[in-house]
Amino acid sequence: MNILILGGGGREHAIAWAFAQNPKAERVFCAPGNAGIAEDVETLSLDVLSGERILAFCRENDVGFVMIGPEAPLAEGVADALRAGGMLTLGPGRAAAQLEASKAFTKEICEACGAPTAASQTFTDPEAARAYVRTEGAPIVVKADGLAAGKGVTVAETLEAAEAALEAIFDEGAGARVVIEEFMTGEEASLFVLANGEEFVTLGTAQDHKRAFDGDTGPNTGGMGAYSPAPVMTPEVTERALAEIVRPTLAEMARRGTPFQGVLYVGLMIEAGAPRLVEYNVRLGDPEAQVLAMRLGGQLLDICLACAEGDFSQAKVTFAEDHAITVVMAAQGYPGSYAKGEPIGLPVIDDPRLKIFHAGTKAAEGGIVSNGGRVLNVTARAATLREARDLAYEAADRIDWPGGFLRRDIGWRAL
Ligand code: AMP
Ligand code: GLY
């Protein structure tokens, strides 16, 4: 079968690498891909927001399955368009993608199905929002309602910070909506499930590191590293999260006539063994996909196909008792402004336990250059997290890119 993956980051490199290992995969295409993806599968440029163009490409190239990596095409309804065109596709339609695209919608679903989450209220009126913040006091969490590439959330330690966050959101203009939430304490972790309607399989757990610098300091980023499994997600906590959050949510989505199909990324806060929902995403995480794909390998394709086909009976997943870690190398200045086009010297890797997934890279004359904020994901798997971490950092230290930086403490919580 020929397969098309939409996206061009570290997540899509990991998906492409895993899919390509499965004998079911004949030609694997990735649009737009990046320099690293182009070494493993075929890349092409294609408007990933245009269902029509994607369908035309699939017809011309005998593609039988489309995997949608990032949230933007999902929120735009690309999965609806592809399925309407008869294409086997993994990813929710526009209505179900609201679970990521609107934080107010997710709150409404949690309330309707009784899933535990932070107490919250949604506002469109700036005065009412300010009054609520003053009544509740700090710390408090202020979230812009829509997709904001991870930049829409302010965990405000003070009233001033909360009011500044409100001002920034309402300054965006008419129609701005804000969710104001109780500040939750505990440990964060993510649970990944592949769902079709009310049926699902668990892909695994992971923890990422959102802050830019060591010791979880500095500004929030898309994620500077991740590891899987997350020790805080014990079998008991996982079962509670499935029973109290995932199953009720899937049932509520089905009841509304908008069943969820695709990857449900369940962001959790765990305190005293009790999980509460922080957020949903409707796709694999980046860089969490890198560690999940590293552990699942070619099986990832089998379970994605089973999910898209709505028949999990044939999906046999063997979860190895191993650990994976990924360390992100980012351009100095990220998540603020940074340089692009810097040459990167990559080491030759001939260890099957190691893989450098590319995020923001581009092929140039003479080699590879940086082309984004997060640029490389040095990923390793081993019997223990410690071993995997040592492998990853040894490989990262062989990368020749003076303009890059990485965190030295990925996995610290579990080690
Ligand atoms: P989100 O985009 O909703 O995942 O929020 C980004 C990050 O903000 C999360 O990963 C948490 O670290 C933090 N956060 C979000 N909501 C809360 C909350 N209610 N309490 C504490 N921290 C939160
Ligand atoms: N690493 C966080 C995310 O993918 O949303």
Side-chain angles (χ1 to χ4, degrees), residues 328-339:
V328 171
M329 270 192 103
Q332 272 169 36
Y334 173 80
S337 59
Y338 49 81

Side-chain angles (χ1 to χ4, degrees), residues 103 107 117-119 140-143 149-155 180-186 188 208 210-211 220-221 265 267-269 276-281:
K103 292 182 186 293
K107 286 292 176 187
T117 182
I140 194 157
V141 182
V142 175
K143 302 185 173 184
K151 294 178 194 92
V153 175
T154 302
V155 178
I180 304 177
E181 257 184 31
E182 162 200 5
F183 173 76
M184 294 189 282
T185 52
E188 273 190 89
D208 79 347
K210 289 205 164 77
R211 301 297 195 97
N220 262 321
T221 71
Y265 168 143
L268 298 166
M269 187 74 82
R276 288 205 282 170
L277 184 75
V278 177
E279 64 162 347
Y280 281 128
N281 294 312

Side-chain angles (χ1 to χ4, degrees), residues 52-320:
E52 209 177 311
R53 300 248 172 87
I54 299 164
L55 280 171
F57 175 84
C58 291
R59 282 190 207 106
E60 283 156 26
N61 293 278
D62 198 22
V63 168
F65 175 55
V66 178
M67 171 80 181
I68 303 178
E71 60 275 23
L74 294 166
E76 283 288 320
V78 167
D80 299 302
L82 297 183
R83 276 193 283 271
M87 182 54 52
L88 186 66
T89 303
L90 191 82
R94 187 203 298 266
Q98 289 294 300
L99 282 177
E100 174 164 0
S102 167
K103 292 182 186 293
F105 177 80
T106 295
K107 286 292 176 187
E108 184 191 312
I109 293 289
C110 285
E111 193 163 323
C113 74
T117 182
S120 75
Q121 280 199 38
T122 300
F123 297 90
T124 49
D125 173 41
E127 257 330 301
R130 263 192 288 276
Y132 180 76
V133 160
R134 287 190 198 125
T135 319
E136 292 296 307
I140 194 157
V141 182
V142 175
K143 302 185 173 184
D145 181 50
L147 287 182
K151 294 178 194 92
V153 175
T154 302
V155 178
E157 310 279 351
T158 62
L159 266 186
E160 292 68 44
E163 293 195 25
L166 285 178
E167 204 173 327
I169 293 169
F170 285 116
D171 272 357
E172 295 282 298
R177 204 147 60 138
V178 64
V179 176
I180 304 177
E181 257 184 31
E182 162 200 5
F183 173 76
M184 294 189 282
T185 52
E187 185 171 345
E188 273 190 89
S190 312
L191 171 64
F192 293 85
V193 302
L194 266 177
N196 190 322
E198 297 190 54
E199 277 193 85
F200 64 88
V201 291
T202 306
L203 281 180
T205 63
Q207 219 159 20
D208 79 347
H209 297 256
K210 289 205 164 77
R211 301 297 195 97
F213 309 129
D214 283 22
D216 290 332
T217 58
N220 262 321
T221 71
M224 291 298 292
Y227 56 99
S228 171
V232 67
M233 294 300 294
T234 60
E236 294 72 32
V237 172
T238 301
E239 197 36 64
R240 274 188 75 167
L242 294 176
E244 296 169 16
I245 299 173
V246 174
R247 281 194 193 94
T249 296
L250 294 176
E252 177 65 18
M253 293 302 286
R255 194 188 66 75
R256 291 178 177 222
T258 52
F260 184 87
Q261 187 261 55
V263 178
L264 190 62
Y265 168 143
V266 189
L268 298 166
M269 187 74 82
I270 297 111
E271 193 170 40
R276 288 205 282 170
L277 184 75
V278 177
E279 64 162 347
Y280 281 128
N281 294 312
V282 299
R283 47 165 178 88
L284 282 168
D286 189 343
E288 294 92 328
Q290 288 82 315
V291 285
L292 293 171
M294 195 75 187
R295 297 184 62 212
L296 289 165
Q299 303 182 92
L300 184 62
L301 177 59
D302 293 323
I303 33 184
C304 287
L305 283 173
C307 181
E309 282 159 356
D311 178 8
F312 287 112
S313 63
Q314 301 303 311
K316 291 180 204 72
V317 192
T318 320
F319 293 98

Side-chain angles (χ1 to χ4, degrees), residues 209 212-215 224 325 327-329 389-390 392-399 405-412 415:
H209 297 256
F213 309 129
D214 283 22
M224 291 298 292
I325 193 166
V327 178
V328 171
M329 270 192 103
R389 180 204 53 186
D390 292 346
Y393 279 112
E394 273 162 37
D397 288 336
R398 288 160 55 211
I399 295 172
F405 78 98
L406 47 71
R407 276 184 61 165
R408 282 275 153 205
D409 63 347
I410 301 303
W412 66 269
L415 284 164

